[in-house]
Amino acid sequence: MGFVAAGVLAALGLIIAVIIGALIWKKRASGARSPDYTPAQTKEQSDASSNSSNSTNNDRCDPIAEKLMKQTE
């Protein structure tokens, strides 16, 4: 009888832990943030703002390739 009760309690504890974990994961995945949250500027954002060339973030390449592209123009 004691083993059955321990098994049932362990199963209930596991189910509760899974439910709590799923709720925490869902809250974090939904992007819930505090109202004063401001994302930090990434390296790409700061490079793009200081970059004076005609390239955009989507078509940026390394400096050697960029130099070769300018030579062919």
Side-chain angles (χ1 to χ4, degrees), residues 29-52:
S30 70
R33 295 188 172 39
S34 61
D36 60 344
Y37 173 79
T38 306
Q41 187 175 19
T42 63
K43 184 179 184 317
E44 288 181 354
Q45 289 172 336
S46 63
D47 287 349
S49 64
S50 65
N51 190 3
S52 61

Side-chain angles (χ1 to χ4, degrees), residues 6 15 21 24-25 34-37 41 46 48 57 63 68 70 72-73:
I15 290 170
I24 291 172
W25 174 78
S34 61
D36 60 344
Y37 173 79
Q41 187 175 19
S46 63
N57 283 343
L68 290 171
K70 287 182 180 178
T72 60
E73 290 178 346

Side-chain angles (χ1 to χ4, degrees), residues 1-13:
M1 184 72 174
F3 289 113
V4 174
V8 169
L9 287 175
L12 285 174

